[in-house]
Amino acid sequence: MKQRANVVVLAGGFGGARMAHGFELLGDQVELSVIVNTGDDLELHGLLVSPDLDTVMYTLAGLANDATGWGLRNETWSSAEMLATYGAPTWFKLGDRDIATHLVRTAGLRGGKTLTQVTADLAAQLGVRAALLPMTDQPIRTKVRTAAAWLDFQDYFVRRHHADEVLELRFDGMEAATITSEVARAIESADLVVMAPSNPFVSIGPILSIPGMAKALLGVAAPVVAVSPIVGGSAVRGPAADMLAALAKVEPTAAGLAAYYAATYPGLIYALVLDRADAEHEEAVARTGMRPLITNTLIGAADARRQLAEELLALARH
């Protein structure tokens, strides 16, 4: 591998942002591209909100609120208070500074730019060095079926606090989606592809469902490495463990995740990274055909993010 490695990260919001930041901390060792899930996007108060894109962007810009895992540090909420005064819904909180991002994004799209172009403009203004790439320029909306009804993803995830059992998923708009030229180029030139420790169903799943995406990843010589979001039988954050049990019908463990990935994306993943707490699942992972790599996957601290990125880069180089 050349001295400066082209790294592509497939990312949802929370875990994806932290994994991308780990590679960003490696500086000139890495040319980083982050392909981000947009199935979580929603229209709110006339604005397009892209939660995963913004979480990754704010994290790479050094502006993220690490305490919450979403939004900006030192945020204020005057607009939300006024919206409540008008009787508008405020269950999905938009801070005053955050609203500026959605205003600029929406104006750019209405002016004829693609989501990829608008995202590049926003990231450049915030000093983000990495290429921040929406998974597609076409609108995709993740829908969740519960016992009661089909729900918009954010309705399920934020308003209802992902308390409902998920019986089925669908990605509206997927049939019209296409892989962008920017995403295709990033994958073609990759020395390493990392599936971040994001939800395999509603963060990684929509990305890999874009027509042409899985084929492009299968066609590259670069190893594809997945980092498990399951540690000790629980998701680090969110409903990934519950979805493994409900949707994949496997145990919510690292071994269960490996079985799901191997069955759903055969031949795609070279190695699965497990936390040390899940070392007992090493042999079960190996039986799926994936190489198990055991290390620390809890990357809340910057040093831990950098360390994991260094280990993944070393795996690709050797």
Side-chain angles (χ1 to χ4, degrees), residues 137-210:
D137 282 328
Q138 287 74 44
I140 305 295
R141 297 294 179 265
T142 298
K143 305 288 185 179
V144 176
R145 185 169 71 85
T146 69
W150 280 99
L151 302 174
D152 293 336
F153 178 78
Q154 297 297 349
D155 193 12
Y156 151 78
F157 189 76
V158 176
R159 189 173 72 85
R160 299 172 67 90
H161 307 289
H162 53 81
D164 302 89
E165 182 181 13
V166 177
L167 303 176
E168 188 179 354
L169 295 170
R170 74 171 192 251
F171 306 126
D172 285 2
M174 191 62 74
E175 67 284 350
T178 57
I179 188 171
T180 66
S181 58
E182 293 85 356
V183 165
R185 283 196 298 271
I187 292 172
E188 287 168 6
S189 63
D191 298 302
L192 171 67
V193 178
V194 177
M195 292 163 56
S198 301
N199 188 302
F201 299 94
V202 295
S203 294
I204 301 299
I207 298 173
L208 295 180
S209 296
I210 300 294

Coordinates of all heavy atoms in Angstrom, one line a residue, residues 137-210:
D137 N -27.8 10.9 -4.3 CA -28.5 12.2 -4.4 C -30.0 12.1 -4.5 O -30.6 13.2 -4.4 CB -27.9 12.9 -5.7 CG -26.5 13.5 -5.4 OD1 -26.2 13.9 -4.3 OD2 -25.8 13.6 -6.4
Q138 N -30.5 10.9 -4.6 CA -32.0 10.8 -4.7 C -32.5 10.6 -3.2 O -31.8 10.0 -2.4 CB -32.4 9.6 -5.5 CG -32.2 9.7 -7.0 CD -30.8 9.7 -7.5 OE1 -30.0 8.9 -7.0 NE2 -30.4 10.6 -8.3
P139 N -33.7 11.1 -2.9 CA -34.2 11.0 -1.6 C -34.6 9.6 -1.2 O -35.3 8.9 -2.0 CB -35.4 11.9 -1.6 CG -35.8 12.1 -3.0 CD -34.6 11.9 -3.8
I140 N -34.1 9.1 -0.1 CA -34.4 7.7 0.4 C -35.0 8.0 1.8 O -34.5 8.8 2.6 CB -33.2 6.8 0.6 CG1 -32.5 6.7 -0.8 CG2 -33.6 5.5 1.1 CD1 -33.3 6.0 -1.9
R141 N -36.1 7.3 2.1 CA -36.7 7.4 3.4 C -36.9 6.1 4.0 O -37.7 5.2 3.5 CB -38.1 8.2 3.4 CG -38.0 9.6 2.8 CD -37.2 10.5 3.8 NE -37.0 11.9 3.3 CZ -36.0 12.3 2.6 NH1 -35.0 11.5 2.3 NH2 -36.0 13.6 2.2
T142 N -36.3 5.8 5.2 CA -36.4 4.6 5.9 C -37.8 4.5 6.6 O -38.1 5.5 7.3 CB -35.3 4.4 6.9 OG1 -34.1 4.3 6.2 CG2 -35.5 3.1 7.7
K143 N -38.5 3.4 6.4 CA -39.8 3.2 7.1 C -39.7 2.0 7.9 O -39.1 1.0 7.6 CB -40.9 3.1 6.0 CG -41.0 4.2 5.0 CD -41.6 5.5 5.6 CE -41.8 6.5 4.6 NZ -42.4 7.8 5.1
V144 N -40.4 2.0 9.1 CA -40.3 1.0 10.1 C -41.7 0.5 10.3 O -42.6 1.3 10.7 CB -39.7 1.5 11.4 CG1 -39.7 0.4 12.5 CG2 -38.3 2.0 11.2
R145 N -41.9 -0.9 10.2 CA -43.2 -1.4 10.5 C -43.2 -2.0 12.0 O -42.4 -2.8 12.3 CB -43.6 -2.5 9.6 CG -45.0 -3.1 9.8 CD -45.5 -4.0 8.7 NE -44.8 -5.3 8.7 CZ -45.2 -6.3 9.4 NH1 -46.2 -6.3 10.3 NH2 -44.5 -7.5 9.3
T146 N -44.1 -1.5 12.7 CA -44.3 -2.0 14.1 C -45.7 -2.7 14.2 O -46.4 -2.8 13.2 CB -44.3 -0.8 15.1 OG1 -45.5 0.0 14.9 CG2 -43.1 0.1 14.9
A147 N -46.0 -3.2 15.3 CA -47.3 -3.8 15.5 C -48.5 -2.9 15.2 O -49.6 -3.3 14.8 CB -47.5 -4.4 16.9
A148 N -48.3 -1.6 15.4 CA -49.3 -0.6 15.2 C -49.5 -0.1 13.8 O -50.6 0.0 13.3 CB -49.1 0.6 16.2
A149 N -48.3 0.2 13.1 CA -48.4 0.8 11.8 C -47.0 0.9 11.3 O -46.0 0.7 11.9 CB -49.0 2.2 12.0
W150 N -46.9 1.4 10.0 CA -45.7 1.8 9.4 C -45.4 3.2 9.9 O -46.2 4.1 9.9 CB -45.8 1.8 7.8 CG -45.6 0.5 7.2 CD1 -46.6 -0.4 6.8 CD2 -44.4 -0.2 6.9 NE1 -46.1 -1.5 6.2 CE2 -44.7 -1.4 6.3 CE3 -43.0 0.1 7.1 CZ2 -43.7 -2.3 5.9 CZ3 -42.1 -0.8 6.7 CH2 -42.4 -2.0 6.1
L151 N -44.1 3.4 10.3 CA -43.7 4.7 10.8 C -42.5 5.3 10.1 O -41.7 4.5 9.6 CB -43.3 4.6 12.3 CG -44.3 4.0 13.3 CD1 -43.6 3.8 14.7 CD2 -45.5 4.9 13.4
D152 N -42.5 6.6 9.9 CA -41.3 7.2 9.4 C -40.2 6.9 10.5 O -40.4 6.9 11.7 CB -41.5 8.8 9.3 CG -42.4 9.1 8.2 OD1 -42.6 8.3 7.3 OD2 -43.0 10.2 8.3
F153 N -38.9 6.8 10.0 CA -37.9 6.4 10.8 C -37.7 7.3 12.1 O -37.6 6.8 13.2 CB -36.5 6.4 10.1 CG -35.4 6.0 11.0 CD1 -35.2 4.6 11.4 CD2 -34.5 6.9 11.5 CE1 -34.2 4.3 12.2 CE2 -33.5 6.6 12.4 CZ -33.3 5.2 12.8
Q154 N -37.7 8.6 11.8 CA -37.5 9.5 13.0 C -38.7 9.5 13.9 O -38.5 9.8 15.1 CB -37.2 10.9 12.5 CG -35.9 11.1 11.7 CD -34.7 10.7 12.5 OE1 -34.7 10.6 13.7 NE2 -33.5 10.6 11.7
D155 N -39.9 9.2 13.4 CA -41.0 9.1 14.3 C -40.8 7.9 15.3 O -41.0 8.0 16.5 CB -42.3 8.8 13.5 CG -43.6 9.0 14.3 OD1 -43.5 9.5 15.4 OD2 -44.6 8.6 13.7
Y156 N -40.3 6.8 14.7 CA -40.0 5.6 15.5 C -38.8 5.9 16.4 O -38.8 5.5 17.6 CB -39.7 4.4 14.6 CG -38.7 3.4 15.1 CD1 -39.1 2.4 16.0 CD2 -37.3 3.4 14.7 CE1 -38.2 1.5 16.6 CE2 -36.5 2.5 15.3 CZ -36.9 1.5 16.2 OH -36.0 0.6 16.7
F157 N -37.7 6.5 15.9 CA -36.5 6.5 16.6 C -36.5 7.7 17.7 O -36.0 7.4 18.8 CB -35.3 6.8 15.6 CG -34.0 6.6 16.2 CD1 -33.4 5.4 16.5 CD2 -33.2 7.8 16.5 CE1 -32.2 5.3 17.1 CE2 -31.9 7.6 17.0 CZ -31.4 6.4 17.4
V158 N -36.9 8.8 17.3 CA -36.8 10.0 18.2 C -38.1 10.2 19.0 O -38.1 10.2 20.2 CB -36.5 11.3 17.4 CG1 -36.5 12.5 18.3 CG2 -35.1 11.1 16.7
R159 N -39.2 10.3 18.3 CA -40.5 10.7 19.0 C -40.9 9.5 19.9 O -41.4 9.7 21.0 CB -41.6 11.0 18.0 CG -42.9 11.6 18.7 CD -43.9 12.1 17.7 NE -44.5 11.0 16.9 CZ -45.6 10.3 17.4 NH1 -46.1 10.7 18.6 NH2 -46.1 9.4 16.7
R160 N -40.8 8.3 19.4 CA -41.2 7.1 20.2 C -40.0 6.4 20.9 O -40.2 5.3 21.4 CB -42.0 6.1 19.3 CG -43.2 6.7 18.7 CD -43.9 5.8 17.6 NE -44.4 4.6 18.2 CZ -45.7 4.5 18.7 NH1 -46.5 5.5 18.6 NH2 -46.1 3.4 19.2
H161 N -38.8 7.0 20.8 CA -37.7 6.5 21.6 C -37.3 5.1 21.2 O -36.9 4.3 22.1 CB -37.9 6.7 23.1 CG -38.3 8.1 23.5 ND1 -37.4 9.2 23.4 CD2 -39.5 8.6 23.9 CE1 -38.0 10.3 23.8 NE2 -39.3 10.0 24.1
H162 N -37.5 4.7 20.0 CA -37.3 3.3 19.4 C -37.7 2.2 20.4 O -37.0 1.2 20.6 CB -35.8 3.1 19.0 CG -34.7 3.5 19.9 ND1 -34.3 2.6 20.9 CD2 -33.9 4.6 20.0 CE1 -33.3 3.2 21.6 NE2 -33.1 4.4 21.1
A163 N -38.9 2.4 21.0 CA -39.4 1.5 22.0 C -40.2 0.3 21.4 O -40.4 -0.7 22.0 CB -40.2 2.2 23.0
D164 N -40.7 0.6 20.1 CA -41.5 -0.4 19.4 C -40.6 -1.6 18.9 O -39.5 -1.3 18.4 CB -42.3 0.2 18.3 CG -43.2 1.3 18.7 OD1 -42.7 2.5 18.8 OD2 -44.3 1.1 19.0
E165 N -41.1 -2.8 18.9 CA -40.5 -3.9 18.2 C -40.6 -3.6 16.7 O -41.7 -3.3 16.2 CB -41.1 -5.2 18.6 CG -40.3 -6.4 17.9 CD -40.9 -7.7 18.2 OE1 -42.1 -7.8 18.7 OE2 -40.3 -8.7 17.9
V166 N -39.5 -3.8 16.0 CA -39.4 -3.6 14.5 C -39.7 -4.9 13.9 O -39.0 -5.9 14.0 CB -38.1 -3.0 14.1 CG1 -38.0 -2.9 12.6 CG2 -37.8 -1.7 14.8
L167 N -40.8 -4.9 13.1 CA -41.2 -6.2 12.4 C -40.7 -6.2 10.9 O -40.5 -7.3 10.4 CB -42.7 -6.3 12.4 CG -43.3 -6.3 13.8 CD1 -44.8 -6.3 13.7 CD2 -42.8 -7.4 14.6
E168 N -40.4 -5.0 10.3 CA -40.0 -5.0 8.9 C -39.5 -3.6 8.6 O -39.8 -2.6 9.3 CB -41.2 -5.3 8.1 CG -41.0 -5.5 6.6 CD -42.2 -5.8 5.8 OE1 -43.3 -6.0 6.4 OE2 -42.1 -5.8 4.5
L169 N -38.6 -3.5 7.7 CA -38.1 -2.3 7.2 C -38.3 -2.1 5.7 O -38.3 -3.1 5.0 CB -36.5 -2.2 7.4 CG -36.1 -2.1 8.9 CD1 -34.6 -2.3 8.9 CD2 -36.5 -0.9 9.6
R170 N -38.4 -0.9 5.2 CA -38.4 -0.7 3.8 C -37.7 0.7 3.6 O -37.7 1.6 4.4 CB -39.8 -0.7 3.2 CG -40.7 0.5 3.4 CD -41.9 0.4 2.6 NE -42.6 1.7 2.6 CZ -43.8 1.9 3.2 NH1 -44.4 0.8 3.9 NH2 -44.4 3.0 3.2
F171 N -37.1 0.9 2.4 CA -36.4 2.1 2.0 C -37.1 2.7 0.8 O -36.9 2.4 -0.3 CB -35.0 1.8 1.7 CG -34.2 1.0 2.8 CD1 -33.6 -0.1 2.5 CD2 -34.2 1.5 4.1 CE1 -32.9 -0.8 3.5 CE2 -33.6 0.8 5.1 CZ -32.9 -0.3 4.8
D172 N -38.1 3.6 1.1 CA -38.8 4.3 0.0 C -37.9 5.1 -0.8 O -37.1 5.8 -0.4 CB -39.9 5.2 0.6 CG -41.1 4.4 1.2 OD1 -41.0 3.1 1.2 OD2 -42.1 5.0 1.7
G173 N -38.1 5.0 -2.2 CA -37.3 5.7 -3.1 C -36.0 4.9 -3.6 O -35.3 5.4 -4.5
M174 N -35.8 3.7 -3.0 CA -34.6 3.0 -3.4 C -34.6 2.6 -4.9 O -33.5 2.5 -5.5 CB -34.4 1.8 -2.5 CG -33.1 1.1 -2.6 SD -31.7 2.1 -2.1 CE -31.9 2.1 -0.3
E175 N -35.7 2.3 -5.4 CA -35.8 1.8 -6.8 C -35.3 2.9 -7.8 O -34.8 2.6 -8.9 CB -37.2 1.4 -7.2 CG -38.2 2.5 -7.3 CD -38.7 2.9 -5.9 OE1 -38.4 2.3 -4.9 OE2 -39.4 3.9 -5.8
A176 N -35.4 4.2 -7.4 CA -34.9 5.3 -8.3 C -33.5 5.8 -7.9 O -33.0 6.7 -8.6 CB -35.9 6.4 -8.2
A177 N -32.9 5.2 -6.9 CA -31.6 5.7 -6.4 C -30.5 5.2 -7.3 O -30.6 4.1 -7.9 CB -31.4 5.3 -5.0
T178 N -29.5 6.0 -7.4 CA -28.3 5.6 -8.1 C -27.0 6.0 -7.3 O -27.0 6.9 -6.5 CB -28.2 6.3 -9.5 OG1 -28.2 7.8 -9.3 CG2 -29.3 5.9 -10.4
I179 N -26.0 5.2 -7.5 CA -24.7 5.5 -6.9 C -24.1 6.7 -7.6 O -24.1 6.8 -8.8 CB -23.8 4.3 -7.0 CG1 -22.5 4.5 -6.2 CG2 -23.4 3.9 -8.4 CD1 -21.7 3.2 -6.0
T180 N -23.6 7.7 -6.8 CA -23.1 8.9 -7.4 C -21.7 8.7 -8.0 O -21.0 7.7 -7.6 CB -23.0 10.1 -6.4 OG1 -22.0 9.7 -5.4 CG2 -24.4 10.3 -5.8
S181 N -21.3 9.5 -8.9 CA -19.9 9.4 -9.5 C -18.9 9.6 -8.4 O -17.8 8.9 -8.4 CB -19.7 10.4 -10.6 OG -19.9 11.7 -10.2
E182 N -19.1 10.5 -7.4 CA -18.2 10.7 -6.3 C -18.0 9.5 -5.4 O -16.9 9.1 -5.1 CB -18.7 11.9 -5.5 CG -18.6 13.3 -6.2 CD -19.9 13.5 -7.0 OE1 -20.8 12.6 -7.1 OE2 -20.0 14.6 -7.6
V183 N -19.1 8.8 -5.1 CA -19.0 7.6 -4.3 C -18.3 6.5 -5.1 O -17.5 5.8 -4.6 CB -20.5 7.2 -3.9 CG1 -20.4 5.7 -3.4 CG2 -21.0 8.1 -2.9
A184 N -18.6 6.4 -6.4 CA -18.0 5.3 -7.2 C -16.5 5.5 -7.3 O -15.7 4.6 -7.2 CB -18.6 5.3 -8.6
R185 N -16.1 6.8 -7.5 CA -14.6 7.1 -7.5 C -13.9 6.8 -6.2 O -12.8 6.2 -6.2 CB -14.4 8.5 -8.0 CG -14.6 8.8 -9.4 CD -13.9 10.1 -9.8 NE -14.5 11.2 -9.1 CZ -15.6 11.9 -9.6 NH1 -16.2 11.6 -10.7 NH2 -16.1 12.9 -8.9
A186 N -14.6 7.1 -5.1 CA -14.0 6.9 -3.8 C -13.8 5.4 -3.6 O -12.7 5.0 -3.1 CB -14.9 7.5 -2.7
I187 N -14.8 4.6 -3.9 CA -14.7 3.1 -3.8 C -13.6 2.6 -4.7 O -12.8 1.7 -4.2 CB -16.0 2.5 -4.0 CG1 -17.0 2.9 -2.9 CG2 -15.9 1.0 -4.1 CD1 -18.4 2.4 -3.1
E188 N -13.6 3.0 -5.9 CA -12.6 2.5 -6.9 C -11.2 2.7 -6.4 O -10.3 1.9 -6.7 CB -12.8 3.1 -8.2 CG -14.1 2.6 -9.0 CD -14.4 3.5 -10.2 OE1 -13.6 4.4 -10.5 OE2 -15.5 3.2 -10.8
S189 N -10.9 3.8 -5.8 CA -9.5 4.2 -5.4 C -9.2 3.7 -4.0 O -8.1 4.0 -3.5 CB -9.3 5.7 -5.5 OG -10.2 6.4 -4.6
A190 N -10.1 3.0 -3.3 CA -9.9 2.7 -1.9 C -8.8 1.7 -1.6 O -8.7 0.7 -2.4 CB -11.2 2.2 -1.3
D191 N -8.0 1.9 -0.6 CA -7.1 0.9 -0.1 C -7.7 0.2 1.1 O -7.2 -0.9 1.5 CB -5.8 1.6 0.4 CG -5.1 2.3 -0.8 OD1 -4.8 1.7 -1.8 OD2 -4.9 3.6 -0.7
L192 N -8.7 0.8 1.7 CA -9.4 0.1 2.8 C -10.8 0.7 2.9 O -11.0 1.9 2.7 CB -8.7 0.5 4.2 CG -9.4 0.1 5.5 CD1 -9.5 -1.4 5.6 CD2 -8.7 0.7 6.7
V193 N -11.8 -0.2 3.1 CA -13.2 0.2 3.3 C -13.6 -0.3 4.7 O -13.4 -1.5 5.0 CB -14.1 -0.5 2.2 CG1 -15.6 -0.1 2.5 CG2 -13.7 0.0 0.8
V194 N -14.2 0.6 5.4 CA -14.6 0.3 6.8 C -16.1 0.5 7.0 O -16.6 1.6 6.7 CB -13.8 1.1 7.9 CG1 -14.3 0.8 9.3 CG2 -12.3 0.9 7.7
M195 N -16.8 -0.6 7.4 CA -18.2 -0.4 7.8 C -18.1 -0.1 9.2 O -17.8 -0.9 10.1 CB -18.9 -1.7 7.5 CG -19.1 -2.0 6.0 SD -19.5 -3.7 5.6 CE -21.0 -3.9 6.5
A196 N -18.5 1.2 9.5 CA -18.4 1.7 10.9 C -19.3 0.9 11.9 O -20.2 0.2 11.5 CB -18.8 3.2 10.9
P197 N -19.0 1.1 13.2 CA -19.9 0.5 14.2 C -21.2 1.2 14.3 O -21.6 1.8 15.3 CB -19.1 0.6 15.5 CG -18.2 1.8 15.3 CD -17.9 1.8 13.8
S198 N -22.0 1.1 13.2 CA -23.3 1.7 13.0 C -24.3 0.6 12.9 O -24.0 -0.5 12.7 CB -23.4 2.6 11.8 OG -22.4 3.6 11.8
N199 N -25.6 0.9 13.1 CA -26.6 -0.1 13.0 C -26.6 -0.8 11.7 O -26.7 -0.1 10.6 CB -28.0 0.6 13.2 CG -29.1 -0.3 13.4 OD1 -29.4 -1.1 12.5 ND2 -29.9 -0.2 14.5
P200 N -26.5 -2.1 11.7 CA -26.4 -2.8 10.4 C -27.7 -2.8 9.5 O -27.6 -3.0 8.3 CB -26.1 -4.3 10.8 CG -26.6 -4.4 12.2 CD -26.4 -3.0 12.8
F201 N -28.8 -2.5 10.1 CA -30.1 -2.5 9.4 C -30.5 -1.1 8.9 O -30.9 -1.0 7.8 CB -31.2 -3.0 10.3 CG -30.9 -4.4 10.8 CD1 -30.3 -4.7 12.0 CD2 -31.3 -5.5 10.0 CE1 -30.1 -6.0 12.4 CE2 -31.0 -6.8 10.4 CZ -30.4 -7.0 11.6
V202 N -30.4 -0.1 9.7 CA -30.9 1.2 9.3 C -29.8 2.3 9.1 O -30.1 3.4 8.7 CB -31.9 1.7 10.4 CG1 -33.1 0.9 10.4 CG2 -31.3 1.9 11.8
S203 N -28.5 1.9 9.3 CA -27.4 2.8 8.9 C -26.6 2.3 7.8 O -26.5 2.9 6.7 CB -26.6 3.1 10.1 OG -27.3 3.8 11.1
I204 N -26.1 1.1 8.0 CA -25.3 0.4 6.9 C -26.2 -0.2 5.9 O -25.9 -0.1 4.7 CB -24.4 -0.7 7.6 CG1 -23.4 -0.1 8.6 CG2 -23.6 -1.4 6.5 CD1 -22.5 0.9 8.1
G205 N -27.3 -0.8 6.3 CA -28.2 -1.4 5.3 C -28.7 -0.5 4.2 O -28.6 -0.9 3.0
P206 N -29.1 0.7 4.4 CA -29.5 1.6 3.3 C -28.4 1.9 2.4 O -28.6 1.9 1.2 CB -30.0 2.9 4.0 CG -30.4 2.4 5.4 CD -29.4 1.3 5.8
I207 N -27.2 2.1 2.9 CA -26.0 2.3 2.0 C -25.8 1.2 1.1 O -25.7 1.4 -0.2 CB -24.8 2.6 2.8 CG1 -24.9 3.9 3.7 CG2 -23.5 2.8 1.9 CD1 -23.8 4.1 4.7
L208 N -25.8 0.0 1.6 CA -25.5 -1.2 0.8 C -26.6 -1.6 -0.1 O -26.5 -2.4 -1.0 CB -25.1 -2.4 1.7 CG -23.8 -2.2 2.5 CD1 -23.6 -3.5 3.3 CD2 -22.6 -2.0 1.6
S209 N -27.8 -1.0 0.1 CA -29.0 -1.3 -0.7 C -29.1 -0.4 -1.9 O -29.9 -0.6 -2.8 CB -30.3 -1.1 0.1 OG -30.4 -2.0 1.1
I210 N -28.2 0.7 -2.0 CA -28.2 1.6 -3.2 C -27.8 0.7 -4.4 O -26.8 0.0 -4.4 CB -27.2 2.7 -3.0 CG1 -27.6 3.6 -1.8 CG2 -27.2 3.6 -4.3 CD1 -28.9 4.3 -2.0

